[in-house]
Amino acid sequence: MDIDGVNDVQILDHELLQLPGLSPVSLKANPHIAEELFSQWLSLPETGRLVKSLIDDTKSSTPGSVSKNCTNLSVACGSALPSVFLNSGTPPLSPRGSPGSPRFSRQKTSPSLQSPLKSVREPKRQLIPQFYFQHGRPPAKELREECISMVDQCFNNYIDGAHMDEFKSITKEVCKLPSFLSSVLFRRIDTSCSGIVTRDAFIKYWVDGNMLAMDVASQIYNILRQPGCKYLRQADFKPLLDELLTTHPGLEFLRNTPEFQERYAETVIYRIFYYINRSGTGCITLRELKRGNLIAAMQQVDEEDDINKVIRYFSYEHFYVIYCRFWELDGDHDFLIDKENLIKYGNHALTYRIVDRIFSQVPRKFTSKVEGKMSYEDFAYFILAEEDKSSEPSLEYWFKCIDLDGDGVITPNEMQFFYEEQLHRMECITQEPVLFEDILCQIFDMIKPEKENCITLQDLKASKLSGNIFNILFNLNKFMAFETRDPFLIRQERENPTLTEWDRFAQREYVRLSMEEDVEEVSNGSADVWDEPLESPF
């Protein structure tokens, strides 16, 4: 007992004694006093009986008796303590008997006395539903059953399987995809090249392959891309355009001219990559495909018999304008143009300095393998950027041209370098020149850049007048048109706000080219002038 008492005294908190007559500081300075008091308390007969009773009650796990004996312990302590405790007025707490004591709470209790907080320390395991599926989220049960029912109805007419020419209705009705995707989808399913797609093969690819649960963009992306490839290349769109040219009523007149069919398909693909492939890598990712408007244009093509009403990407008239403009510049018809050819564009509208920047391939690397020559694809990118400077691809194209040092900002010195030639050209045609200082103030007023005295690409994208900046710097004809501002053209723009600058240019240019073609037909004594839209590039 004495040994236990000594050990308890060593860890005894002197403040728990609650002795008004003795301060805790005095007890800490004289630990032998606490030891003596503790020894006297343990030697009392009442203390021994109470301690034994508490031990028995704890073993029997009787909470009521434990509480009762704790009360008795407090009473007994009050009558059995030495005089120094009695004089304090408040009975001290027992080193072991106080339920609120930290040492008491550290004791291992019986299961019936465990704290309810234990359940918080041991949370119940919750089943987290699967949220990642390597091959796509599987379709819901109801959607799966509905699709299989439609498949059964469609394949009732093709018990042995559907051939390619019979697969178009399945593509449109079951898959809800444009019908001119049917041949590409057919080949994806018919991996053995048997020429037939059975019901089970279709369900395995479309339903079991989780294509059913994907959005339309993801479905088209997975159908067009090559197996194992994570992007779409230009060649991946070729089979789609081939079927469109074969089946669409608005392109029927081109079926006897395979050369122009090929040029039309190439032009559509170039336009798709110009607007959709914003990274400029030549590879369209799923994210880029979803962010663009190509899927909506494809769906419109499938519903519209007049291909020219689909002005996004697929319009034949737009192809006609691009191709004829290139053919006019390509004097020797070797399908390549050089600097001297391009300087004639738009009735010599461009400056030599901007043409030099284009042929330095700063805005875009040429696909032509001939030094100093621009291919048809390069020209398609150029004309789209030149005739619609309000689009983001165009702003990026011309920003790279003006940013001579490539530091990501256009400075007044860089703008002055290009405007000097404009100023000289105005003097040559006896046009009243506009000083660069005045032009610079006008430019900053239109753009309102975040940083003073320089313009970033983000500044240009945030302003609706950005395209005019480039016309001021290197296109004299459009600069003068901007200064005069034809009220008739302004009213036309307000009446058709959905049309882009490119759309309006293509409309005007197609009318011009068709009128020239009509005049040529009449002068050559050919057939009557067409009442329908132009059907042949030449």
Side-chain angles (χ1 to χ4, degrees):
M1 183 66 72
D2 293 337
I3 295 175
D4 293 339
V6 173
N7 291 336
D8 287 336
V9 169
Q10 292 176 353
I11 61 173
L12 180 65
D13 187 347
H14 302 88
E15 295 183 357
L16 292 177
L17 294 177
Q18 298 182 1
L19 300 176
L22 294 173
S23 66
V25 178
S26 301
L27 291 175
K28 289 181 181 180
N30 302 283
H32 63 280
I33 297 176
E35 295 175 10
E36 183 64 26
L37 292 173
F38 188 60
S39 298
Q40 290 183 24
W41 180 77
L42 289 176
S43 62
L44 295 174
E46 294 84 351
T47 303
R49 288 193 296 270
L50 289 173
V51 171
K52 184 177 181 301
S53 175
L54 287 172
I55 293 174
D56 294 339
D57 291 340
T58 303
K59 289 180 179 180
S60 62
S61 301
T62 307
S65 60
V66 173
S67 176
K68 179 179 180 181
N69 282 308
C70 287
T71 305
N72 294 338
L73 175 61
S74 299
V75 175
C77 289
S79 61
L81 288 176
S83 59
V84 66
F85 286 90
L86 297 174
N87 294 334
S88 66
T90 304
L93 297 175
S94 171
R96 292 186 180 272
S98 172
S101 171
R103 296 184 64 237
F104 182 85
S105 64
R106 287 197 297 267
Q107 295 179 9
K108 185 175 181 180
T109 61
S110 63
S112 61
L113 297 178
Q114 288 182 355
S115 171
L117 296 178
K118 185 175 182 181
S119 60
V120 179
R121 303 190 198 100
E122 299 178 1
K124 295 182 180 179
R125 297 181 62 183
Q126 295 181 354
L127 181 61
I128 300 177
Q130 184 178 353
F131 58 88
Y132 171 74
F133 301 88
Q134 183 177 1
H135 302 291
R137 181 179 293 275
K141 182 180 179 181
E142 297 78 7
L143 183 61
R144 177 188 176 92
E145 293 176 351
E146 180 183 354
C147 180
I148 292 178
S149 176
M150 294 181 62
V151 172
D152 290 339
Q153 292 178 8
C154 290
F155 277 88
N156 281 338
N157 301 325
Y158 315 114
I159 299 177
D160 297 329
H163 293 81
M164 184 175 289
D165 57 343
E166 301 167 335
F167 195 70
K168 181 178 291 186
S169 61
I170 299 174
T171 302
K172 192 168 184 178
E173 295 173 11
V174 179
C175 303
K176 310 298 182 184
L177 294 175
S179 59
F180 53 91
L181 274 168
S182 61
S183 62
V184 186
L185 178 58
F186 186 94
R187 295 188 185 97
R188 286 283 178 265
I189 301 175
D190 183 24
T191 54
S192 61
C193 300
S194 63
I196 292 177
V197 169
T198 63
R199 169 194 177 278
D200 294 340
F202 179 83
I203 291 178
K204 181 180 178 182
Y205 178 85
W206 190 256
V207 181
D208 298 340
N210 298 334
M211 292 285 288
L212 178 60
M214 297 180 185
D215 57 84
V216 179
S218 299
Q219 290 173 346
I220 294 178
Y221 172 80
N222 283 284
I223 292 171
L224 293 180
R225 69 185 176 92
Q226 296 300 313
C229 195
K230 296 183 178 180
Y231 49 81
L232 296 176
R233 303 166 301 172
Q234 290 189 6
D236 296 331
F237 289 90
K238 190 64 169 60
L240 182 147
L241 269 300
D242 289 342
E243 183 169 357
L244 180 67
L245 284 161
T246 304
T247 60
H248 199 281
L251 296 170
E252 186 177 0
F253 65 91
L254 278 180
R255 291 174 190 169
N256 296 326
T257 55
E259 179 185 354
F260 295 142
Q261 282 187 326
E262 183 178 355
R263 297 303 175 212
Y264 169 81
E266 289 177 352
T267 306
V268 172
I269 293 173
Y270 298 155
R271 294 183 68 188
I272 289 173
F273 273 76
Y274 175 81
Y275 288 104
I276 303 297
N277 183 214
R278 300 305 309 282
S279 60
T281 59
C283 303
I284 294 178
T285 63
L286 177 59
R287 182 179 181 183
E288 289 177 328
L289 186 64
K290 288 183 176 182
R291 294 178 64 182
N293 57 1
L294 176 61
I295 303 301
M298 292 172 65
Q299 293 171 332
Q300 184 183 0
V301 167
D302 203 43
E303 302 297 331
E304 181 59 63
D305 290 340
D306 186 356
I307 196 71
N308 292 316
K309 291 184 178 180
V310 189
I311 57 179
R312 299 291 173 264
Y313 313 110
F314 296 95
S315 171
Y316 173 79
E317 291 181 357
H318 289 197
F319 150 71
Y320 186 86
V321 168
I322 296 173
Y323 190 83
C324 287
R325 273 298 188 106
F326 179 82
W327 192 258
E328 288 175 350
L329 297 177
D330 182 19
D332 54 5
H333 302 310
D334 61 351
F335 228 63
L336 296 169
I337 59 178
D338 55 19
K339 288 184 182 180
E340 295 303 320
N341 299 138
L342 191 62
I343 203 69
K344 300 175 185 177
Y345 180 84
N347 194 21
H348 295 79
L350 303 175
T351 63
Y352 281 96
R353 292 184 178 180
I354 198 65
V355 171
D356 287 340
R357 289 291 287 174
I358 295 171
F359 275 84
S360 67
Q361 304 181 42
V362 171
R364 181 180 182 273
K365 294 292 181 183
F366 286 173
T367 58
S368 167
K369 298 185 191 254
V370 181
E371 184 69 24
K373 298 282 187 176
M374 174 186 284
S375 68
Y376 176 61
E377 179 180 351
D378 304 323
F379 177 80
Y381 273 72
F382 158 77
I383 192 173
L384 291 172
E386 167 58 24
E387 299 302 339
D388 186 2
K389 295 188 178 73
S390 62
S391 67
E392 289 195 5
S394 176
L395 294 177
E396 294 168 2
Y397 186 97
W398 296 118
F399 183 89
K400 293 175 183 177
C401 288
I402 304 301
D403 184 16
L404 295 173
D405 54 7
D407 61 350
V409 296
I410 296 178
T411 62
N413 289 336
E414 291 169 329
M415 288 186 279
Q416 185 174 14
F417 172 78
F418 288 96
Y419 186 73
E420 284 176 353
E421 188 174 352
Q422 287 280 73
L423 189 62
H424 177 68
R425 297 174 77 190
M426 283 187 281
E427 293 173 347
C428 291
I429 62 175
T430 65
Q431 177 72 31
E432 183 179 357
V434 183
L435 298 179
F436 176 71
E437 290 76 11
D438 298 331
I439 287 295
L440 188 61
C441 292
Q442 185 179 3
I443 289 176
F444 280 114
D445 287 342
M446 287 191 293
I447 301 300
K448 296 180 174 58
E450 291 187 5
K451 295 183 180 179
E452 187 178 358
N453 218 33
C454 68
I455 297 174
T456 65
L457 181 59
Q458 294 304 317
D459 294 331
L460 293 176
K461 290 181 178 181
S463 174
K464 294 182 179 180
L465 300 174
S466 300
N468 298 315
I469 305 304
F470 297 119
N471 291 330
I472 291 173
L473 296 178
F474 55 76
N475 190 316
L476 183 59
N477 295 346
K478 291 186 177 182
F479 175 35
M480 302 307 298
F482 173 71
E483 288 293 312
T484 55
R485 286 190 183 88
D486 186 351
F488 177 73
L489 294 178
I490 295 175
R491 187 177 65 183
Q492 279 187 326
E493 292 177 3
R494 292 176 179 174
E495 290 176 353
N496 298 293
T498 58
L499 296 180
T500 64
E501 291 183 17
W502 164 257
D503 298 331
R504 296 188 180 94
F505 164 78
Q507 284 181 348
R508 297 191 303 268
E509 193 65 11
Y510 184 78
V511 171
R512 179 186 71 84
L513 292 170
S514 61
M515 290 179 63
E516 291 179 357
E517 187 74 14
D518 292 345
V519 172
E520 184 177 352
E521 290 287 341
V522 173
S523 62
N524 292 335
S526 300
D528 295 336
V529 178
W530 300 328
D531 294 328
E532 299 180 356
L534 198 60
E535 294 186 349
S536 172
F538 304 101

